[in-house]
Amino acid sequence: FRTSFRSKGKYYGGMADELEGLGAETGGPTLAPAAALLSDLITFAKKKKLTKKQHVMFNIADMATAIEVGNALCRKAAAGKDGRVSAEVRKAAARLFAGEALGTVLRCARQVAVGTGADEDGAMAGRIAQIDSLAPFRGAVADMDFIATELAK
């Protein structure tokens, strides 16, 4: 949190740019808007003095955890085969987690922006609404089936 705020959003904003540059097969482009939203939401929470509220900080922590883990998985997927797990299984797992992370960030962002009543002008709610919340579901069942089949071998 401190790193992101002190960098004026560059930490998660920069991460979003890097994730966007990864191939779609890694889940990076699915996770990128979530990282960018987290960057904006941290700035929003600080400006609105919401960081003194425990519930807000828990939501920010949930979002940051999802983004950090998703970022690591997407980068590993981009790196290819590593150890016993095939590159294709790693990519499918990264895509699935990126979708889950996006869902977590959207849910928590709504709780912070709308649930606190701090988004008087609706700008943050509008920012949240711009993100394609259905993107993670496209191909998710196929990825789950693929992983299950590969793990059963």
Side-chain angles (χ1 to χ4, degrees):
F1 173 75
R2 287 185 182 135
T3 302
S4 182
F5 190 73
R6 286 183 183 150
S7 70
K8 297 187 176 25
K10 291 180 185 169
Y11 180 73
Y12 287 110
M15 186 183 292
D17 292 341
E18 291 171 12
L19 286 164
E20 192 64 48
L22 297 178
E25 72 279 1
T26 67
T30 299
L31 189 60
L37 178 59
L38 175 56
S39 179
D40 294 347
L41 193 76
I42 289 171
T43 302
F44 171 84
K46 190 72 173 167
K47 285 181 181 175
K48 298 289 185 170
K49 298 187 181 356
L50 298 175
T51 57
K52 296 183 188 318
K53 298 181 181 296
Q54 187 176 32
H55 181 69
V56 169
M57 294 308 293
F58 283 158
N59 276 295
I60 290 173
D62 281 348
M63 290 184 281
T65 300
I67 297 299
E68 294 288 346
V69 173
N71 180 51
L73 286 171
C74 292
R75 289 178 180 288
K76 273 207 142 324
K81 187 173 175 22
D82 180 22
R84 299 180 330 197
V85 179
S86 75
E88 293 309 311
V89 168
R90 192 176 303 281
K91 289 176 184 175
R95 286 191 300 269
L96 286 171
F97 191 86
E100 291 298 317
L102 175 60
T104 296
V105 170
L106 289 172
R107 176 183 47 79
C108 291
R110 288 181 186 112
Q111 288 179 358
V112 171
V114 180
T116 62
D119 189 26
E120 300 94 5
D121 63 1
M124 186 54 70
R127 168 78 177 82
I128 295 166
Q130 290 175 352
I131 296 174
D132 181 5
S133 61
L134 299 179
F137 298 102
R138 295 183 188 105
V141 173
D143 281 341
M144 288 180 212
D145 287 345
F146 173 73
I147 292 170
T149 301
E150 289 298 307
L151 292 177
K153 289 182 180 177

